[in-house]
Amino acid sequence: MQLYLNATSPYARVARVCLYEKQLIERTELCWCDPWAADSELLQITPLSRIPTLVTDDGEVLTESLLIALYLDVQGEGDSLLPHKAYAETLALAGLGHGLTDAAFNVVVGRKHNGHEVDTTVLGSRRLKAIERTLATLDAHPSVLAGNAERTLGAITVAVALCYISFRLPAFDWPNRFPTLQAWHAKVVECESFAMTAFE
């Protein structure tokens, strides 16, 4: 398999963490690329030019981090990223994490291209409020309150989103403002799959 990625994408990090968790990292070639480049190799593989993109051993091209994670879960070894006993709950948590990532990523991209003034627009303000609401929701989430650090797809997606906010939007200062969430996050990321995929 081949995984097209860069070192700062939260979406790509979800896929990389899943590769480690499912013991597939040794079977996968990591293809580092710039998805913004007009002449990138990635653009020859998918018209979307998005990362992560996974090319399977059969030549299928998969995009979108959660879809890639579902594929890796079936192909790999070890515990399922989507445990049957908590299937809906895991998907719901993954949805919160993915939405949090989307909001944070779009804030970062918006500021990069339009400056901090974008925060005062209707869309910019909506994204910032979504981040705040989601952080508060996660701080009171049953899995977080229970200290459940099992690395399901839901926990992985949320943990990567939180790492990304610390990396790109540190002013949110979520670890100090949401100590319960911070304690849960510390347990989830205390493993090889997160240590080996840290943002650079």
Side-chain angles (χ1 to χ4, degrees), residues 107-121:
V107 167
V108 171
V109 172
R111 289 177 178 178
K112 177 180 178 180
H113 293 284
N114 300 295
H116 281 260
E117 297 79 20
V118 72
D119 293 349
T120 62
T121 66

Side-chain angles (χ1 to χ4, degrees), residues 140-155:
H141 192 278
S143 291
V144 172
L145 293 175
N148 180 6
E150 181 182 359
R151 281 182 296 282
T152 64
L153 181 56

Side-chain angles (χ1 to χ4, degrees), residues 7 10 13 42 51 65 125 140 151 153-154 171 189:
R13 189 175 184 190
L42 178 61
I51 51 175
S65 58
S125 175
R151 281 182 296 282
L153 181 56
V189 303

Side-chain angles (χ1 to χ4, degrees), residues 49-121:
S49 191
R50 295 182 65 172
I51 51 175
T53 291
L54 182 77
V55 181
T56 71
D57 290 335
D58 296 326
E60 295 292 345
V61 178
L62 307 181
T63 58
E64 305 299 333
S65 58
L66 296 185
L67 297 179
I68 290 171
L70 293 178
Y71 177 79
L72 297 177
D73 193 39
V74 173
Q75 298 299 313
E77 301 177 12
D79 294 337
S80 175
L81 300 174
L82 288 151
H84 181 72
K85 59 180 173 54
Y87 191 76
E89 294 91 334
T90 301
L91 289 176
L93 189 59
L96 282 174
H98 195 73
L100 182 59
T101 299
D102 283 345
F105 181 80
N106 283 306
V107 167
V108 171
V109 172
R111 289 177 178 178
K112 177 180 178 180
H113 293 284
N114 300 295
H116 281 260
E117 297 79 20
V118 72
D119 293 349
T120 62
T121 66

Side-chain angles (χ1 to χ4, degrees), residues 112-144:
K112 177 180 178 180
H113 293 284
N114 300 295
H116 281 260
E117 297 79 20
V118 72
D119 293 349
T120 62
T121 66
V122 172
L123 188 55
S125 175
R126 189 171 191 271
R127 289 169 177 159
L128 293 173
K129 289 176 181 176
I131 293 171
E132 286 288 353
R133 289 194 305 265
T134 307
L135 289 171
T137 297
L138 289 168
D139 194 53
H141 192 278
S143 291
V144 172

Side-chain angles (χ1 to χ4, degrees), residues 1-20 25 28-36 40-42 45-46 49-55 62 65 68 196-200:
M1 295 188 292
Q2 294 176 308
L3 181 69
Y4 287 80
L5 72 167
N6 71 10
T8 59
S9 165
Y11 305 103
R13 189 175 184 190
V14 167
R16 284 180 74 196
V17 169
C18 292
L19 283 173
Y20 277 98
I25 192 69
T28 307
E29 178 187 358
L30 300 182
C31 303
W32 302 94
C33 63
D34 176 6
W36 298 91
S40 73
E41 182 182 347
L42 178 61
I45 294 168
T46 170
S49 191
R50 295 182 65 172
I51 51 175
T53 291
L54 182 77
V55 181
L62 307 181
S65 58
I68 290 171
M196 297 299 291
T197 61
F199 289 122
E200 300 176 4

